[in-house]
Amino acid sequence: MDLSIDFTYWVFQLKVWLILGFGLIIIDIVLATFFLLPIGIAAFLVGGLILVQNQLWFGDVVFFETWHDIMIYFAVLSVVSIGFIRVIFQKRRKNTADINEY
């Protein structure tokens, strides 16, 4: 029981998501795989949503009530950022000639 309370406390901290985002992006830059980049971007976005919720920028709008909500947002934002990055890289490659296209 105590472990779930500690986990819930840390998941709602903005600093945790910023550290996770920076860590994932730095690891991705070192590995040069572009695999962890969208997940790091999603961590930053979740951190931004936590900041918005804590500062009451949208009034009484509550994005996260439990840690389950945060994990769902994190998963959805990871998938969305993967799609966004894929679209950006495909647009960049359209202008270059590929020797494999006949």
PDB file of all heavy atoms in Angstrom, residues 6 11 14 32 34 41 45 98:
ATOM      1  N   ASP A   6       3.536   6.246  -2.710  1.00  0.00           N
ATOM      2  CA  ASP A   6       4.766   6.895  -3.159  1.00  0.00           C
ATOM      3  C   ASP A   6       4.780   7.062  -4.677  1.00  0.00           C
ATOM      4  O   ASP A   6       5.182   8.106  -5.186  1.00  0.00           O
ATOM      5  CB  ASP A   6       5.986   6.084  -2.724  1.00  0.00           C
ATOM      6  CG  ASP A   6       6.218   6.150  -1.227  1.00  0.00           C
ATOM      7  OD1 ASP A   6       5.709   7.091  -0.574  1.00  0.00           O
ATOM      8  OD2 ASP A   6       6.905   5.247  -0.704  1.00  0.00           O
ATOM      9  N   VAL A  11       4.489  10.441  -9.605  1.00  0.00           N
ATOM     10  CA  VAL A  11       3.955  10.563 -10.960  1.00  0.00           C
ATOM     11  C   VAL A  11       3.338  11.941 -11.182  1.00  0.00           C
ATOM     12  O   VAL A  11       3.359  12.458 -12.291  1.00  0.00           O
ATOM     13  CB  VAL A  11       2.928   9.437 -11.230  1.00  0.00           C
ATOM     14  CG1 VAL A  11       2.141   9.701 -12.488  1.00  0.00           C
ATOM     15  CG2 VAL A  11       3.631   8.117 -11.352  1.00  0.00           C
ATOM     16  N   LEU A  14       6.020  17.507 -11.596  1.00  0.00           N
ATOM     17  CA  LEU A  14       6.488  18.042 -12.876  1.00  0.00           C
ATOM     18  C   LEU A  14       7.959  17.718 -13.115  1.00  0.00           C
ATOM     19  O   LEU A  14       8.357  17.372 -14.231  1.00  0.00           O
ATOM     20  CB  LEU A  14       6.264  19.558 -12.916  1.00  0.00           C
ATOM     21  CG  LEU A  14       6.846  20.317 -14.101  1.00  0.00           C
ATOM     22  CD1 LEU A  14       6.184  19.879 -15.387  1.00  0.00           C
ATOM     23  CD2 LEU A  14       6.704  21.800 -13.899  1.00  0.00           C
ATOM     24  N   ALA A  32      21.380   7.749 -31.513  1.00  0.00           N
ATOM     25  CA  ALA A  32      21.016   8.176 -32.873  1.00  0.00           C
ATOM     26  C   ALA A  32      20.057   7.203 -33.537  1.00  0.00           C
ATOM     27  O   ALA A  32      20.208   6.829 -34.689  1.00  0.00           O
ATOM     28  CB  ALA A  32      22.260   8.375 -33.726  1.00  0.00           C
ATOM     29  N   PHE A  34      16.398   7.611 -33.059  1.00  0.00           N
ATOM     30  CA  PHE A  34      15.099   8.276 -33.138  1.00  0.00           C
ATOM     31  C   PHE A  34      13.972   7.376 -32.633  1.00  0.00           C
ATOM     32  O   PHE A  34      12.831   7.494 -33.053  1.00  0.00           O
ATOM     33  CB  PHE A  34      14.784   8.765 -34.561  1.00  0.00           C
ATOM     34  CG  PHE A  34      15.706   9.848 -35.008  1.00  0.00           C
ATOM     35  CD1 PHE A  34      16.654   9.609 -35.976  1.00  0.00           C
ATOM     36  CD2 PHE A  34      15.629  11.108 -34.455  1.00  0.00           C
ATOM     37  CE1 PHE A  34      17.509  10.606 -36.392  1.00  0.00           C
ATOM     38  CE2 PHE A  34      16.470  12.122 -34.862  1.00  0.00           C
ATOM     39  CZ  PHE A  34      17.419  11.861 -35.827  1.00  0.00           C
ATOM     40  N   ILE A  41       9.408  13.415 -25.997  1.00  0.00           N
ATOM     41  CA  ILE A  41       8.522  14.547 -26.289  1.00  0.00           C
ATOM     42  C   ILE A  41       7.198  14.372 -25.558  1.00  0.00           C
ATOM     43  O   ILE A  41       6.648  15.329 -25.000  1.00  0.00           O
ATOM     44  CB  ILE A  41       8.317  14.680 -27.811  1.00  0.00           C
ATOM     45  CG1 ILE A  41       9.620  15.138 -28.475  1.00  0.00           C
ATOM     46  CG2 ILE A  41       7.186  15.646 -28.136  1.00  0.00           C
ATOM     47  CD1 ILE A  41       9.591  15.091 -29.974  1.00  0.00           C
ATOM     48  N   LEU A  45       5.285  16.791 -22.841  1.00  0.00           N
ATOM     49  CA  LEU A  45       3.891  17.215 -22.972  1.00  0.00           C
ATOM     50  C   LEU A  45       3.077  16.866 -21.727  1.00  0.00           C
ATOM     51  O   LEU A  45       2.240  17.665 -21.290  1.00  0.00           O
ATOM     52  CB  LEU A  45       3.270  16.591 -24.219  1.00  0.00           C
ATOM     53  CG  LEU A  45       3.829  17.072 -25.555  1.00  0.00           C
ATOM     54  CD1 LEU A  45       3.235  16.274 -26.697  1.00  0.00           C
ATOM     55  CD2 LEU A  45       3.588  18.551 -25.734  1.00  0.00           C
ATOM     56  N   ASP A  98      15.460   9.037 -54.555  1.00  0.00           N
ATOM     57  CA  ASP A  98      15.795   7.755 -53.970  1.00  0.00           C
ATOM     58  C   ASP A  98      16.144   6.792 -55.097  1.00  0.00           C
ATOM     59  O   ASP A  98      15.386   6.629 -56.053  1.00  0.00           O
ATOM     60  CB  ASP A  98      14.603   7.227 -53.161  1.00  0.00           C
ATOM     61  CG  ASP A  98      14.942   5.979 -52.382  1.00  0.00           C
ATOM     62  OD1 ASP A  98      16.136   5.605 -52.346  1.00  0.00           O
ATOM     63  OD2 ASP A  98      14.021   5.388 -51.787  1.00  0.00           O
TER      64      ASP A  98
END
